[in-house]
Amino acid sequence: KEVRKMALRGSLIRLAERADVQPALKKMWKKHYKIDGRVTQHLSPFEQNIVSPMMKTMPEKIAEKARSFLLEAGAGLGFGLFVFYWADWKYTDIAYHHRA
């Protein structure tokens, strides 16, 4: 008689299994219960700190962006400024020597 109860219980459990859940997720869905739209937990709009964490880390983020930009483009910008000032100096030098 005990074997029959176990066999019957096993077949009832197999019939009650969810067919819409993948086999790998069945263990997770084992203890799931329906709520039927009832709100069990919510977060007040006053507790949602959206801007303040962003403002706390903003100086570090700006410094990191500036540092990475200067590492990438610093050599090119420095060379460009060097050529600009050198060319301006050379132009003035040539104009001064041609006065005589």
Side-chain angles (χ1 to χ4, degrees):
K1 290 183 178 183
E2 191 64 36
V3 174
R4 280 187 164 171
K5 284 183 181 178
M6 293 298 287
L8 183 61
R9 188 177 300 144
S11 62
L12 285 176
I13 289 174
R14 278 189 217 105
L15 286 175
E17 283 183 359
R18 293 182 59 142
D20 60 333
V21 178
Q22 296 176 3
L25 299 174
K26 284 192 179 187
K27 187 175 181 182
M28 289 175 58
W29 281 95
K30 194 176 200 180
K31 296 175 181 164
H32 173 73
Y33 57 93
K34 287 190 174 185
I35 298 176
D36 293 329
R38 184 181 64 209
V39 176
T40 58
Q41 186 177 11
H42 72 280
L43 187 59
S44 167
F46 298 106
E47 296 174 13
Q48 296 179 9
N49 296 326
I50 298 169
V51 178
S52 62
M54 180 179 68
M55 296 304 262
K56 287 178 186 174
T57 60
M58 188 179 290
E60 293 91 14
K61 287 183 180 178
I62 289 172
E64 175 60 30
K65 294 251 184 200
R67 187 185 71 77
S68 65
F69 174 75
L70 285 176
L71 283 176
E72 241 179 81
L77 288 174
F79 182 70
L81 283 172
F82 169 75
V83 168
F84 175 77
Y85 286 115
W86 174 81
D88 190 41
W89 169 81
K90 189 67 172 172
Y91 178 78
T92 343
D93 187 44
I94 290 172
Y96 179 74
H97 286 297
H98 281 297
R99 285 186 192 170

XYZ file of all heavy atoms in Angstrom:
821
model
N 0.823 -1.199 0.000
C 0.000 0.000 0.000
C 0.868 1.263 0.000
O 0.500 2.242 -0.622
C -0.921 -0.010 1.223
C -1.992 -1.047 1.155
C -2.876 -0.933 2.352
C -3.981 -1.942 2.263
N -4.913 -1.839 3.359
N 1.991 1.242 0.689
C 2.862 2.411 0.760
C 3.448 2.731 -0.613
O 3.606 3.887 -0.968
C 3.986 2.148 1.769
C 4.795 3.379 2.114
C 3.952 4.434 2.816
O 3.056 4.090 3.615
O 4.194 5.615 2.556
N 3.739 1.715 -1.401
C 4.298 1.928 -2.733
C 3.263 2.604 -3.619
O 3.576 3.490 -4.404
C 4.746 0.576 -3.347
C 5.201 0.774 -4.787
C 5.833 -0.041 -2.511
N 2.008 2.218 -3.494
C 0.942 2.832 -4.303
C 0.779 4.310 -3.973
O 0.601 5.142 -4.843
C -0.377 2.110 -4.070
C -0.518 0.863 -4.816
C -1.914 0.376 -4.617
N -2.211 -0.622 -5.607
C -3.276 -1.348 -5.584
N -4.154 -1.188 -4.609
N -3.492 -2.240 -6.514
N 0.821 4.660 -2.684
C 0.683 6.065 -2.300
C 1.820 6.893 -2.879
O 1.603 7.988 -3.375
C 0.675 6.203 -0.778
C -0.608 5.814 -0.124
C -0.534 6.067 1.350
C -1.806 5.650 2.044
N -1.712 5.861 3.482
N 3.023 6.352 -2.821
C 4.176 7.078 -3.342
C 4.064 7.241 -4.850
O 4.365 8.303 -5.379
C 5.479 6.351 -2.982
C 5.773 6.340 -1.502
S 5.989 7.982 -0.843
C 7.569 8.364 -1.502
N 3.608 6.203 -5.533
C 3.482 6.287 -6.987
C 2.396 7.286 -7.356
O 2.542 8.070 -8.297
C 3.184 4.909 -7.567
N 1.290 7.254 -6.628
C 0.202 8.179 -6.903
C 0.619 9.616 -6.606
O 0.351 10.526 -7.384
C -1.022 7.802 -6.068
C -2.269 8.647 -6.302
C -2.719 8.511 -7.743
C -3.370 8.250 -5.370
N 1.333 9.828 -5.511
C 1.788 11.164 -5.162
C 2.758 11.692 -6.223
O 2.680 12.845 -6.627
C 2.461 11.140 -3.793
C 2.785 12.524 -3.289
C 3.380 12.505 -1.904
N 2.467 11.896 -0.946
C 2.850 11.143 0.083
N 4.117 10.907 0.289
N 1.972 10.639 0.911
N 3.644 10.856 -6.681
C 4.593 11.264 -7.719
C 3.900 11.638 -9.012
O 4.265 12.606 -9.675
N 2.871 10.889 -9.400
C 2.167 11.213 -10.643
C 1.355 12.500 -10.489
O 1.232 13.272 -11.440
C 1.266 10.052 -11.073
O 0.281 9.828 -10.087
N 0.814 12.758 -9.308
C 0.077 13.999 -9.094
C 1.018 15.196 -9.143
O 0.663 16.247 -9.681
C -0.658 13.964 -7.748
C -1.912 13.098 -7.690
C -2.474 13.067 -6.281
C -2.953 13.592 -8.669
N 2.207 15.038 -8.607
C 3.176 16.136 -8.647
C 3.573 16.410 -10.088
O 3.702 17.549 -10.507
C 4.402 15.808 -7.767
C 4.001 15.878 -6.300
C 5.548 16.766 -8.042
C 5.081 15.429 -5.344
N 3.777 15.368 -10.873
C 4.136 15.562 -12.275
C 3.006 16.245 -13.047
O 3.252 17.031 -13.951
C 4.486 14.223 -12.923
C 5.895 13.818 -12.639
C 6.292 12.614 -13.471
N 7.134 11.782 -12.641
C 6.774 10.651 -12.067
N 5.572 10.148 -12.273
N 7.611 9.984 -11.309
N 1.759 15.949 -12.717
C 0.628 16.594 -13.391
C 0.515 18.062 -12.988
O 0.060 18.885 -13.767
C -0.683 15.863 -13.059
C -0.883 14.526 -13.748
C -2.154 13.869 -13.221
C -0.957 14.691 -15.252
N 0.924 18.388 -11.771
C 0.791 19.755 -11.276
C 1.970 20.640 -11.673
O 1.967 21.820 -11.377
C 0.658 19.744 -9.758
N 2.983 20.074 -12.323
C 4.136 20.884 -12.715
C 3.739 21.928 -13.735
O 2.860 21.710 -14.557
C 5.230 19.982 -13.301
C 5.999 19.226 -12.263
C 7.122 18.416 -12.899
O 7.256 18.451 -14.134
O 7.835 17.751 -12.154
N 4.430 23.034 -13.691
C 4.169 24.098 -14.650
C 4.792 23.738 -15.985
O 5.951 23.360 -16.055
C 4.761 25.403 -14.139
C 4.055 25.905 -12.900
C 4.635 27.199 -12.490
N 4.498 28.166 -13.566
C 4.225 29.430 -13.411
N 4.045 29.891 -12.204
N 4.139 30.248 -14.418
N 4.032 23.902 -17.031
C 4.533 23.571 -18.362
C 5.177 24.780 -19.034
O 5.924 24.620 -19.989
C 3.380 23.062 -19.224
N 4.905 25.986 -18.525
C 5.442 27.188 -19.165
C 6.804 27.605 -18.611
O 7.356 28.606 -19.032
C 4.452 28.345 -19.022
C 4.178 28.680 -17.564
O 4.312 27.783 -16.715
O 3.831 29.839 -17.298
N 7.359 26.841 -17.684
C 8.642 27.171 -17.085
C 9.691 26.209 -17.620
O 9.468 25.012 -17.696
C 8.562 27.067 -15.546
C 9.907 27.367 -14.917
C 7.521 28.017 -15.022
N 10.865 26.752 -17.967
C 11.942 25.910 -18.465
C 12.430 24.977 -17.360
O 12.353 25.315 -16.178
C 13.104 26.775 -18.942
C 12.749 27.642 -20.115
C 13.917 28.546 -20.493
O 14.985 28.485 -19.916
N 13.684 29.381 -21.481
N 12.944 23.816 -17.736
C 13.374 22.848 -16.715
C 14.450 23.391 -15.783
O 14.484 23.056 -14.605
C 13.917 21.680 -17.548
C 13.265 21.810 -18.865
C 13.011 23.265 -19.073
N 15.328 24.249 -16.282
C 16.388 24.794 -15.437
C 15.842 25.754 -14.388
O 16.470 25.978 -13.363
C 17.419 25.503 -16.301
N 14.665 26.332 -14.643
C 14.090 27.312 -13.717
C 13.026 26.721 -12.796
O 12.450 27.444 -11.998
C 13.490 28.477 -14.505
C 14.462 29.271 -15.365
C 13.706 30.280 -16.181
C 15.501 29.944 -14.516
N 12.754 25.438 -12.906
C 11.672 24.855 -12.109
C 11.953 24.934 -10.618
O 11.055 25.110 -9.825
C 11.432 23.413 -12.531
C 10.684 23.339 -13.823
C 10.191 21.971 -14.116
C 9.445 22.043 -15.430
N 8.783 20.851 -15.772
N 13.215 24.842 -10.239
C 13.540 24.919 -8.824
C 13.216 26.308 -8.278
O 12.778 26.458 -7.154
C 15.015 24.598 -8.626
C 15.417 24.493 -7.185
C 16.849 24.046 -7.065
C 17.226 23.916 -5.605
N 18.618 23.524 -5.442
N 13.438 27.349 -9.111
C 13.135 28.704 -8.673
C 11.624 28.927 -8.559
O 11.167 29.644 -7.686
C 13.727 29.716 -9.662
C 15.237 29.786 -9.599
S 15.920 30.869 -10.846
C 15.120 32.404 -10.479
N 10.865 28.330 -9.464
C 9.431 28.535 -9.478
C 8.709 27.632 -8.482
O 7.496 27.717 -8.330
C 8.881 28.281 -10.876
C 9.113 29.433 -11.777
C 10.136 29.606 -12.643
C 8.293 30.605 -11.893
N 10.031 30.792 -13.290
C 8.900 31.432 -12.859
C 7.131 31.033 -11.281
C 8.379 32.656 -13.216
C 6.609 32.251 -11.638
C 7.229 33.049 -12.595
N 9.454 26.766 -7.803
C 8.835 25.814 -6.896
C 8.098 26.524 -5.760
O 7.017 26.113 -5.364
C 9.926 24.906 -6.335
C 9.458 23.684 -5.654
C 10.677 22.876 -5.266
C 10.310 21.443 -5.014
N 11.471 20.663 -4.651
N 8.695 27.603 -5.247
C 8.110 28.297 -4.096
C 7.402 29.589 -4.491
O 7.139 30.430 -3.651
C 9.204 28.585 -3.088
C 9.806 27.314 -2.538
C 10.955 27.570 -1.639
C 11.499 26.238 -1.181
N 12.810 26.342 -0.615
N 7.119 29.757 -5.762
C 6.451 30.967 -6.235
C 4.958 30.894 -5.922
O 4.325 29.863 -6.062
C 6.649 31.111 -7.749
C 5.857 32.218 -8.341
N 6.192 33.541 -8.152
C 4.732 32.225 -9.098
C 5.317 34.305 -8.783
N 4.420 33.524 -9.360
N 4.397 32.006 -5.464
C 2.960 32.070 -5.249
C 2.422 33.323 -5.919
O 3.110 34.338 -6.007
C 2.622 32.062 -3.754
C 3.255 33.169 -2.975
C 2.586 34.366 -2.757
C 4.525 33.032 -2.457
C 3.169 35.397 -2.060
C 5.128 34.060 -1.745
C 4.438 35.236 -1.553
O 5.017 36.254 -0.853
N 1.208 33.245 -6.401
C 0.611 34.366 -7.107
C 0.169 35.440 -6.121
O -0.321 35.149 -5.042
C -0.577 33.903 -7.937
C -0.174 33.121 -9.149
C -1.349 32.897 -10.052
C -0.886 32.236 -11.328
N -1.966 32.094 -12.272
N 0.292 36.683 -6.543
C -0.092 37.799 -5.696
C -1.405 38.410 -6.177
O -2.113 39.032 -5.432
C 1.031 38.859 -5.684
C 2.290 38.244 -5.086
C 0.643 40.058 -4.884
C 3.474 39.155 -5.114
N -1.733 38.226 -7.425
C -2.972 38.738 -8.028
C -3.046 40.258 -7.993
O -4.061 40.846 -7.646
C -4.211 38.146 -7.348
C -4.338 36.664 -7.613
O -3.909 36.232 -8.703
O -4.857 35.945 -6.748
N -1.934 40.923 -8.331
C -1.944 42.370 -8.475
C -1.855 43.155 -7.191
O -1.889 44.375 -7.208
N -1.747 42.515 -6.073
C -1.666 43.223 -4.806
C -0.252 43.780 -4.631
O 0.730 43.078 -4.828
C -1.994 42.270 -3.661
C -2.029 42.938 -2.305
C -2.321 41.951 -1.220
N -1.225 40.994 -1.165
C -1.367 39.744 -0.770
N -2.540 39.275 -0.425
N -0.324 38.951 -0.716
N -0.138 45.046 -4.262
C 1.166 45.672 -4.040
C 1.650 45.251 -2.660
O 1.007 45.519 -1.653
C 1.075 47.209 -4.137
C 2.402 47.850 -3.808
C 0.604 47.616 -5.513
N 2.787 44.576 -2.650
C 3.318 44.125 -1.364
C 4.411 45.046 -0.850
O 4.661 45.097 0.335
C 3.898 42.708 -1.493
O 4.907 42.719 -2.490
C 2.806 41.739 -1.867
N 5.071 45.753 -1.758
C 6.150 46.635 -1.334
C 6.305 47.716 -2.391
O 6.221 47.439 -3.584
C 7.440 45.831 -1.218
C 8.579 46.593 -0.648
C 9.812 45.703 -0.505
O 9.842 44.602 -1.011
N 10.803 46.203 0.183
N 6.508 48.953 -1.963
C 6.731 50.030 -2.914
C 7.769 50.992 -2.342
O 8.063 50.957 -1.155
C 5.428 50.761 -3.236
C 4.933 51.618 -2.119
N 4.254 51.094 -1.041
C 5.034 52.945 -1.906
C 3.953 52.080 -0.210
N 4.410 53.207 -0.698
N 8.294 51.833 -3.201
C 9.307 52.801 -2.806
C 8.715 54.197 -2.978
O 8.273 54.563 -4.057
C 10.557 52.644 -3.673
C 11.760 53.462 -3.293
C 12.202 53.125 -1.875
C 12.900 53.183 -4.257
N 8.741 54.951 -1.925
C 8.200 56.299 -1.955
C 9.039 57.177 -2.880
O 10.257 57.024 -2.960
C 8.215 56.883 -0.546
O 7.988 58.277 -0.593
N 8.415 58.133 -3.593
C 9.186 59.045 -4.439
C 10.205 59.856 -3.650
O 11.214 60.275 -4.183
C 8.129 59.960 -5.049
C 6.856 59.232 -4.930
C 6.981 58.339 -3.745
N 9.954 60.055 -2.364
C 10.889 60.803 -1.530
C 12.114 59.971 -1.163
O 13.115 60.499 -0.724
C 10.197 61.304 -0.262
C 9.074 62.252 -0.568
C 7.768 61.846 -0.450
C 9.341 63.541 -1.000
C 6.735 62.721 -0.746
C 8.314 64.415 -1.302
C 7.010 63.998 -1.181
N 12.028 58.655 -1.304
C 13.151 57.776 -1.007
C 13.973 57.459 -2.247
O 14.991 56.790 -2.155
C 12.647 56.477 -0.385
C 11.986 56.675 0.955
C 11.378 55.398 1.482
O 11.679 54.330 0.929
O 10.610 55.468 2.441
N 13.533 57.894 -3.395
C 14.248 57.617 -4.630
C 15.279 58.714 -4.868
O 14.979 59.753 -5.426
C 13.271 57.545 -5.804
C 12.290 56.417 -5.684
C 11.325 56.397 -6.836
O 11.490 57.126 -7.800
N 10.319 55.559 -6.745
N 16.476 58.483 -4.428
C 17.553 59.457 -4.604
C 18.145 59.269 -5.999
O 18.979 58.398 -6.210
C 18.628 59.265 -3.538
C 18.097 59.539 -2.162
O 17.242 60.398 -2.004
N 18.576 58.819 -1.171
N 17.708 60.101 -6.921
C 18.141 59.961 -8.305
C 19.311 60.892 -8.595
O 20.302 60.495 -9.189
C 16.973 60.258 -9.261
C 15.857 59.256 -9.025
C 17.439 60.221 -10.698
C 14.577 59.600 -9.699
N 19.228 62.137 -8.169
C 20.221 63.140 -8.531
C 21.382 63.186 -7.545
O 22.529 63.371 -7.957
C 19.560 64.527 -8.644
C 20.566 65.594 -8.969
C 18.470 64.492 -9.701
N 21.132 63.005 -6.260
C 22.189 63.201 -5.267
C 23.371 62.244 -5.439
O 24.510 62.685 -5.290
C 21.626 63.127 -3.856
O 21.068 61.870 -3.603
N 23.201 60.944 -5.747
C 24.395 60.119 -5.967
C 25.202 60.585 -7.182
O 26.428 60.496 -7.184
C 23.841 58.717 -6.193
C 22.494 58.718 -5.611
C 21.996 60.123 -5.742
N 24.510 61.098 -8.191
C 25.208 61.590 -9.376
C 26.030 62.837 -9.022
O 27.149 63.000 -9.493
C 24.195 61.915 -10.472
C 24.809 62.427 -11.748
S 23.595 62.769 -13.009
C 22.737 64.170 -12.329
N 25.475 63.701 -8.195
C 26.178 64.927 -7.815
C 27.368 64.637 -6.907
O 28.360 65.354 -6.943
C 25.225 65.888 -7.111
C 24.098 66.369 -7.993
S 24.698 67.141 -9.476
C 24.587 68.836 -9.006
N 27.296 63.582 -6.109
C 28.396 63.253 -5.208
C 29.633 62.805 -5.976
O 30.749 63.089 -5.570
C 27.968 62.151 -4.241
C 27.010 62.609 -3.172
C 26.597 61.464 -2.298
C 25.528 61.898 -1.313
N 25.009 60.771 -0.532
N 29.437 62.097 -7.063
C 30.580 61.551 -7.810
C 30.930 62.386 -9.036
O 31.826 62.008 -9.787
C 30.281 60.116 -8.260
O 29.128 60.127 -9.104
C 30.032 59.214 -7.065
N 30.235 63.511 -9.242
C 30.474 64.302 -10.451
C 31.902 64.851 -10.556
O 32.498 64.741 -11.618
C 29.458 65.428 -10.568
C 29.530 66.159 -11.901
S 28.314 67.448 -12.052
C 26.821 66.514 -12.176
N 32.511 65.419 -9.502
C 33.880 65.934 -9.654
C 34.884 64.852 -10.060
O 35.743 65.086 -10.908
C 34.211 66.488 -8.270
C 32.907 66.760 -7.635
C 31.953 65.761 -8.194
N 34.755 63.664 -9.485
C 35.668 62.574 -9.853
C 35.467 62.154 -11.298
O 36.429 61.878 -12.016
C 35.478 61.367 -8.940
C 35.902 61.604 -7.502
C 34.764 62.117 -6.647
O 33.601 62.050 -7.087
O 35.047 62.612 -5.545
N 34.206 62.113 -11.727
C 33.928 61.709 -13.113
C 34.449 62.742 -14.102
O 34.998 62.391 -15.151
C 32.426 61.504 -13.315
C 31.911 60.243 -12.665
C 30.434 60.052 -12.946
C 29.915 58.796 -12.295
N 28.486 58.616 -12.525
N 34.277 64.031 -13.775
C 34.778 65.085 -14.668
C 36.300 65.034 -14.734
O 36.889 65.146 -15.815
C 34.282 66.469 -14.189
C 32.783 66.590 -14.441
C 35.025 67.590 -14.887
C 32.152 67.827 -13.852
N 36.953 64.840 -13.583
C 38.413 64.754 -13.573
C 38.903 63.555 -14.368
O 39.885 63.654 -15.119
C 38.914 64.670 -12.128
N 38.224 62.443 -14.246
C 38.618 61.241 -15.004
C 38.429 61.444 -16.505
O 39.276 61.043 -17.304
C 37.799 60.038 -14.517
C 38.030 58.766 -15.295
C 39.475 58.292 -15.261
O 40.172 58.559 -14.265
O 39.901 57.659 -16.244
N 37.319 62.082 -16.903
C 37.094 62.353 -18.335
C 38.149 63.300 -18.878
O 38.664 63.099 -19.982
C 35.711 62.951 -18.550
C 34.584 62.020 -18.244
C 33.913 61.592 -19.485
C 32.711 60.733 -19.095
N 32.278 59.929 -20.163
N 38.487 64.353 -18.119
C 39.505 65.306 -18.562
C 40.866 64.631 -18.659
O 41.612 64.841 -19.617
C 39.561 66.496 -17.607
N 41.186 63.799 -17.676
C 42.468 63.097 -17.692
C 42.563 62.156 -18.886
O 43.571 62.141 -19.599
C 42.652 62.312 -16.396
C 44.032 61.685 -16.255
C 44.119 60.814 -15.022
N 43.363 59.590 -15.140
C 43.755 58.523 -15.834
N 44.897 58.540 -16.468
N 43.006 57.450 -15.875
N 41.520 61.391 -19.136
C 41.570 60.456 -20.270
C 41.613 61.216 -21.599
O 42.293 60.792 -22.532
C 40.374 59.509 -20.240
O 39.174 60.215 -20.440
N 40.913 62.376 -21.676
C 40.965 63.176 -22.898
C 42.363 63.727 -23.131
O 42.882 63.689 -24.247
C 39.945 64.322 -22.832
C 40.047 65.272 -23.991
C 39.562 64.913 -25.234
C 40.650 66.509 -23.849
C 39.661 65.771 -26.310
C 40.760 67.373 -24.910
C 40.266 67.004 -26.144
N 42.977 64.232 -22.062
C 44.321 64.797 -22.208
C 45.358 63.721 -22.532
O 46.308 63.981 -23.273
C 44.719 65.556 -20.957
C 44.031 66.909 -20.796
C 44.416 67.548 -19.478
C 44.378 67.833 -21.952
N 45.178 62.535 -21.998
C 46.093 61.447 -22.345
C 45.978 61.079 -23.821
O 46.960 60.734 -24.469
C 45.830 60.220 -21.481
C 46.362 60.288 -20.059
C 45.951 59.046 -19.286
C 47.866 60.432 -20.049
N 44.756 61.137 -24.328
C 44.522 60.765 -25.721
C 44.928 61.873 -26.686
O 45.628 61.641 -27.657
C 43.031 60.465 -25.923
C 42.766 59.064 -26.377
C 41.291 58.833 -26.529
O 40.738 59.231 -27.566
O 40.698 58.264 -25.603
N 44.470 63.089 -26.429
C 44.640 64.170 -27.392
C 45.691 65.188 -26.975
O 45.965 66.124 -27.723
C 43.302 64.887 -27.584
N 46.283 65.012 -25.808
C 47.226 66.006 -25.305
C 48.447 66.190 -26.184
O 48.885 67.318 -26.429
N 48.992 65.090 -26.687
C 50.201 65.195 -27.520
C 49.904 65.950 -28.815
O 50.661 66.838 -29.216
C 50.726 63.802 -27.831
N 48.805 65.629 -29.445
C 48.438 66.317 -30.692
C 48.131 67.783 -30.479
O 48.549 68.640 -31.267
N 47.385 68.077 -29.417
C 47.070 69.477 -29.121
C 48.325 70.262 -28.749
O 48.500 71.415 -29.176
C 46.053 69.566 -27.979
C 44.630 69.137 -28.320
C 43.776 69.125 -27.064
C 44.029 70.045 -29.362
N 49.217 69.645 -27.973
C 50.463 70.308 -27.607
C 51.327 70.595 -28.830
O 51.890 71.689 -28.970
N 51.424 69.620 -29.724
C 52.205 69.822 -30.945
C 51.583 70.914 -31.813
O 52.282 71.750 -32.376
C 52.310 68.518 -31.732
C 53.132 68.636 -32.970
C 54.504 68.801 -32.896
C 52.530 68.606 -34.218
C 55.264 68.924 -34.043
C 53.280 68.731 -35.365
C 54.647 68.889 -35.283
N 50.260 70.917 -31.906
C 49.572 71.948 -32.686
C 49.817 73.339 -32.132
O 50.058 74.287 -32.884
N 49.736 73.489 -30.803
C 50.008 74.784 -30.184
C 51.466 75.199 -30.378
O 51.753 76.367 -30.627
C 49.677 74.744 -28.688
C 48.199 74.827 -28.349
C 47.984 74.570 -26.868
C 47.644 76.173 -28.742
N 52.386 74.237 -30.286
C 53.786 74.528 -30.519
C 54.008 75.053 -31.935
O 54.678 76.074 -32.143
C 54.638 73.278 -30.269
C 56.048 73.430 -30.731
C 56.942 74.191 -30.007
C 56.479 72.833 -31.912
C 58.256 74.345 -30.440
C 57.775 72.981 -32.351
C 58.674 73.738 -31.626
N 53.439 74.381 -32.926
C 53.598 74.807 -34.322
C 52.964 76.176 -34.535
O 53.530 77.033 -35.229
C 53.002 73.749 -35.281
C 52.881 74.286 -36.697
C 53.830 72.487 -35.253
N 51.799 76.435 -33.929
C 51.124 77.717 -34.071
C 51.997 78.856 -33.540
O 52.217 79.859 -34.227
C 49.780 77.690 -33.341
C 49.065 78.993 -33.340
C 48.383 79.435 -34.468
C 49.073 79.814 -32.221
C 47.719 80.649 -34.475
C 48.418 81.027 -32.221
C 47.743 81.445 -33.352
N 52.484 78.712 -32.307
C 53.308 79.780 -31.733
C 54.661 79.901 -32.431
O 55.183 81.001 -32.599
C 53.476 79.573 -30.223
C 52.215 79.912 -29.475
C 51.501 78.947 -28.781
C 51.731 81.209 -29.476
C 50.348 79.264 -28.111
C 50.573 81.540 -28.803
C 49.880 80.569 -28.129
O 48.724 80.885 -27.470
N 55.243 78.780 -32.851
C 56.507 78.844 -33.579
C 56.312 79.569 -34.919
O 57.135 80.406 -35.303
C 57.050 77.441 -33.833
C 58.269 77.456 -34.695
C 59.539 77.705 -34.306
C 58.295 77.265 -36.113
N 60.378 77.666 -35.386
C 59.640 77.396 -36.506
C 57.321 76.983 -37.065
C 60.018 77.258 -37.827
C 57.714 76.838 -38.378
C 59.056 76.985 -38.753
N 55.219 79.246 -35.627
C 54.960 79.880 -36.925
C 54.701 81.371 -36.739
O 55.159 82.195 -37.550
C 53.777 79.209 -37.617
N 53.991 81.747 -35.682
C 53.748 83.163 -35.406
C 55.075 83.884 -35.111
O 55.324 84.982 -35.625
C 52.792 83.307 -34.227
C 52.319 84.730 -34.045
O 52.033 85.397 -35.063
O 52.253 85.173 -32.875
N 55.924 83.267 -34.317
C 57.222 83.846 -34.022
C 58.076 83.951 -35.287
O 58.710 84.969 -35.533
C 57.950 82.992 -32.982
C 59.382 83.384 -32.833
C 59.879 84.423 -32.109
C 60.491 82.762 -33.476
N 61.239 84.482 -32.243
C 61.636 83.461 -33.080
C 60.622 81.665 -34.339
C 62.904 83.115 -33.524
C 61.886 81.317 -34.772
C 63.016 82.048 -34.369
N 58.047 82.902 -36.120
C 58.860 82.903 -37.341
C 58.377 83.981 -38.305
O 59.178 84.666 -38.951
C 58.799 81.522 -38.004
C 59.745 81.342 -39.143
C 61.165 81.357 -38.626
C 62.112 80.989 -39.735
N 63.498 81.178 -39.351
N 57.071 84.146 -38.417
C 56.502 85.170 -39.289
C 56.952 86.560 -38.831
O 57.374 87.392 -39.632
C 54.982 85.069 -39.309
C 54.315 86.115 -40.146
C 54.271 86.012 -41.523
C 53.743 87.236 -39.548
C 53.666 86.972 -42.295
C 53.133 88.214 -40.304
C 53.098 88.072 -41.691
O 52.497 89.042 -42.454
N 56.874 86.818 -37.518
C 57.305 88.120 -37.006
C 58.811 88.319 -37.193
O 59.257 89.420 -37.513
C 56.992 88.248 -35.506
O 56.068 87.292 -35.091
C 56.444 89.602 -35.185
N 59.550 87.252 -37.020
C 61.002 87.334 -37.192
C 61.362 87.655 -38.643
O 62.205 88.524 -38.903
C 61.644 86.010 -36.765
C 63.150 86.080 -36.763
O 63.690 87.099 -36.259
O 63.790 85.126 -37.261
N 60.717 86.983 -39.571
C 60.996 87.237 -40.996
C 60.559 88.658 -41.365
O 61.281 89.372 -42.082
C 60.301 86.185 -41.882
C 60.975 84.824 -41.712
C 60.326 86.591 -43.345
C 60.250 83.695 -42.397
N 59.393 89.102 -40.877
C 58.914 90.455 -41.173
C 59.866 91.499 -40.575
O 60.107 92.548 -41.204
C 57.503 90.640 -40.613
N 60.448 91.253 -39.437
C 61.362 92.205 -38.812
C 62.679 92.287 -39.586
O 63.209 93.366 -39.794
C 61.621 91.781 -37.365
C 62.580 92.674 -36.634
C 62.188 93.933 -36.212
C 63.896 92.268 -36.401
C 63.071 94.773 -35.551
C 64.776 93.083 -35.733
C 64.364 94.328 -35.313
O 65.241 95.160 -34.655
N 63.181 91.135 -40.060
C 64.450 91.143 -40.782
C 64.316 91.692 -42.199
O 65.320 92.126 -42.771
C 65.052 89.736 -40.825
C 65.615 89.317 -39.507
N 66.665 89.959 -38.897
C 65.251 88.322 -38.655
C 66.940 89.368 -37.746
N 66.085 88.377 -37.572
N 63.152 91.697 -42.762
C 62.978 92.217 -44.113
C 62.747 93.728 -44.125
O 62.636 94.331 -45.184
C 61.800 91.528 -44.814
C 62.155 90.178 -45.322
N 63.089 89.982 -46.277
C 61.717 88.944 -44.972
C 63.209 88.699 -46.537
N 62.362 88.028 -45.740
N 62.691 94.357 -42.967
C 62.481 95.790 -42.904
C 63.731 96.535 -43.384
O 63.620 97.626 -43.938
C 62.179 96.234 -41.476
C 60.797 95.883 -41.025
C 60.546 96.498 -39.676
N 59.321 95.920 -39.125
C 58.937 96.096 -37.901
N 59.665 96.815 -37.064
N 57.825 95.574 -37.489
N 64.830 95.989 -43.161
C 66.061 96.705 -43.470
C 66.374 96.809 -44.938
O 65.819 96.591 -45.880
C 67.229 96.015 -42.799
